[in-house]
Amino acid sequence: QVQLVESGGGLVQAGGSLRLSCAFSGRTNSNYVMGWFRQAPGKEREIVAANNLSGSNTYYAASVKGRFTISRDNAENTVYLDMNSLRPEDTAVYYCALDPRGRWGSRTDSSIYWHWGQGTQVTVSS
């Protein structure tokens, strides 16, 4: 059974930075895709970033490109989301998710991700 556990959320002022971590355990396909999603109150869940096992493919939503960086430590089974220049509109619950079948072409579709973490709150004050 794959389990994902996020950490690193919190309260930060606009312009500040946070690092989210997602530690996962369990057996997965060797070419799984990891994604970070977020959901703000009253809004739909949206993808923030994604990458594949090797890191050769990386995706960012337009709203975070240039400010957020996704990376992973395969030896530690951990994926990170470094968030810089945070804005109040980045306030949301952030989730990491894993697609065990490695369907990179569908990376923005939340339905392909079989495993989800519990979420971590990020609040950016103005």
Side-chain angles (χ1 to χ4, degrees):
Q1 181 71 18
V2 174
Q3 290 187 321
L4 308 178
V5 179
E6 299 106 338
S7 61
L11 173 64
V12 64
Q13 288 188 330
S17 300
L18 281 174
R19 167 176 262 204
L20 305 184
S21 299
C22 174
F24 59 93
S25 59
R27 297 184 63 181
T28 64
N29 183 296
S30 62
N31 193 31
Y32 57 88
V33 172
M34 291 296 296
W36 282 99
F37 289 78
R38 67 186 182 187
Q39 188 165 19
K43 295 188 177 181
E44 292 188 356
R45 188 172 297 187
E46 63 176 357
I47 190 162
V48 175
N51 72 0
N52 62 349
L53 176 65
S54 67
S56 59
N57 290 319
T58 304
Y59 168 85
Y60 295 99
S63 58
V64 306
K65 203 166 188 178
R67 300 188 297 123
F68 291 12
T69 303
I70 186 172
S71 61
R72 62 167 73 185
D73 183 336
N74 292 326
E76 296 294 328
N77 282 355
T78 302
V79 179
Y80 303 99
L81 185 68
D82 289 297
M83 306 185 295
N84 298 310
S85 302
L86 283 162
R87 305 166 180 169
E89 53 263 40
D90 294 318
T91 296
V93 177
Y94 283 71
Y95 301 88
C96 62
L98 187 150
D99 164 30
R101 291 178 286 178
R103 291 165 292 175
W104 182 250
S106 300
R107 59 196 175 274
T108 63
D109 182 354
S110 62
S111 68
I112 73 164
Y113 295 86
W114 288 6
H115 308 287
W116 292 80
Q118 81 285 359
T120 185
Q121 177 71 45
V122 172
T123 303
V124 184
S125 63
S126 57

